[in-house]
Amino acid sequence: MKHSFCAEYKNCRIRPVHYEDIELFRIWRNNEALSRYLTPVGEITREMQDEWYRKNQKDEDIVTFAVDETENFNRMIGSASLYNFSEGQAEIGKTIIGDDQARGKSLGFYSELMAVYIGFQKLNLERIIARIHEDNVASIKRSKRLGYIVTGQHPFISGGNELELTTTKAHFQEVHPYLSEIKIFDEQVCI
């Protein structure tokens, strides 16, 4: 959905996706190493990415964020999303730190921390679920650091299993007593 949510924590900012961001999104999504644990969609063309952007801006069932590093690189380095909203819960995922220089610097953790915080504070969610391929060790580690607990698993479309991890608003707040350090603001302040 088109939204105006922004947040900053440490050297990371999440913000709405703008049209000029989508070519990098497409390049990252087409990178096999980056997308191996995402639902397979094949090669994405520029036309397909344009169509994705138009639909994404209208779809009330997804909030997509661009992720910026704000101190050393001062550029967009990834993405994250909240989606599948239903009865006070949503999923978190589609997180990619696509910029090679930005990986391994906790920016995936910071971006999901802020996205989940927005979900609980601004979207009135009570529960957030992450579905992560069992071989995606870095994402599982990040989710556990975020306070998620493994609650199930099921077969993944392209092989192996996908773990289901869950956190609640109360548990998330308990695990992260420093949440007041996250600044949530409107897109107009972001620009």
Side-chain angles (χ1 to χ4, degrees), residues 1 13-14 17 21 41 44 62 68 79 81 95 116 125 128 144 158 169:
M1 83 170 68
R13 174 189 307 126
I14 61 173
V17 176
D21 300 324
V41 295
I44 299 169
I62 187 165
D68 297 332
S79 66
S81 297
T95 303
V116 169
L125 297 173
I128 295 182
K144 288 182 176 180
S158 59
K169 182 176 183 177

Side-chain angles (χ1 to χ4, degrees), residues 28-178:
W28 294 335
R29 189 63 163 93
N30 282 336
N31 180 321
E32 237 177 79
L34 294 174
S35 62
R36 70 185 177 273
Y37 298 122
L38 300 176
T39 302
V41 295
E43 187 74 15
I44 299 169
T45 65
R46 285 192 170 134
E47 295 76 19
M48 291 165 70
Q49 192 70 13
D50 281 351
E51 181 64 18
W52 168 85
Y53 180 74
R54 282 191 292 280
K55 286 181 179 176
N56 181 274
Q57 295 296 291
K58 293 177 185 173
D59 189 344
E60 295 295 318
D61 200 34
I62 187 165
V63 175
T64 303
F65 298 99
V67 179
D68 297 332
E69 196 285 339
T70 59
E71 288 179 8
N72 300 306
F73 310 131
N74 283 314
R75 64 180 179 249
M76 184 179 72
I77 52 91
S79 66
S81 297
L82 290 166
Y83 53 97
N84 289 342
F85 294 89
S86 176
E87 299 177 9
Q89 77 175 29
E91 290 184 45
I92 182 92
K94 305 178 188 195
T95 303
I96 293 179
I97 300 301
D99 188 304
D100 292 339
Q101 293 179 310
R103 275 191 227 104
K105 297 180 176 20
S106 293
L107 296 164
F109 173 78
Y110 298 155
S111 62
E112 281 200 13
L113 177 78
M114 291 183 287
V116 169
Y117 191 51
I118 285 172
F120 289 140
Q121 294 299 112
K122 297 296 184 179
L123 300 172
N124 301 315
L125 297 173
E126 289 297 323
R127 177 181 310 276
I128 295 182
I129 299 167
R131 298 180 200 283
I132 303 170
H133 194 281
E134 64 190 348
D135 294 338
N136 191 344
V137 176
S139 289
I140 292 169
K141 182 179 173 183
R142 178 181 63 232
S143 292
K144 288 182 176 180
R145 185 175 166 203
L146 283 163
Y148 287 80
I149 298 165
V150 176
T151 54
Q153 74 174 13
H154 56 271
F156 187 63
I157 190 168
S158 59
N161 289 304
E162 194 171 56
L163 301 178
E164 183 173 294
L165 299 97
T166 305
T167 192
T168 63
K169 182 176 183 177
H171 182 68
F172 183 76
Q173 290 172 334
E174 181 182 317
V175 171
H176 305 289
Y178 52 85

